[in-house]
Amino acid sequence: MRTGLTKQEKTTDIWFDEKDPLIHIRTHNTDLKKRLAAYARQHPDQCRQTDTDPETGCMEFKIHKGRFSFRLTAPYSEERREAARRSARENKATDRLK
């Protein structure tokens, strides 16, 4: 979708406080919008879409705090990268992608 916004202007805002049981999410990210919309359809008591802006492609959601999480991952060590490369070569992972 062409919105006239630059990639830098297409932001995702996530905000909450310690008192409110809801997290407010405002995003232009297509994957996140699809995931939140699907979740809102499946669990309307836990998540709902509150606004949409067709001109910019932005959508807003409210979701209960216990339903949304941030995942932090440690960087891979060089040994782990090499092991993954070896495993992919041995199992011909590229053949399965074709």
Side-chain angles (χ1 to χ4, degrees), residues 71-89:
R71 189 175 116 195
L72 302 175
T73 58
Y76 284 1
S77 67
E78 191 53 44
E79 294 82 21
R80 185 171 178 185
R81 277 195 199 110
E82 187 54 40
R85 284 186 202 108
R86 261 194 321 276
S87 175
R89 276 187 232 116

Side-chain angles (χ1 to χ4, degrees), residues 3 10 15 17 24 34 39-40 50 57 67 81 85:
T3 62
K10 293 179 182 180
W15 68 98
D17 59 37
H24 306 271
K34 287 179 182 178
Y39 189 85
T50 57
R67 303 296 106 213
R81 277 195 199 110
R85 284 186 202 108

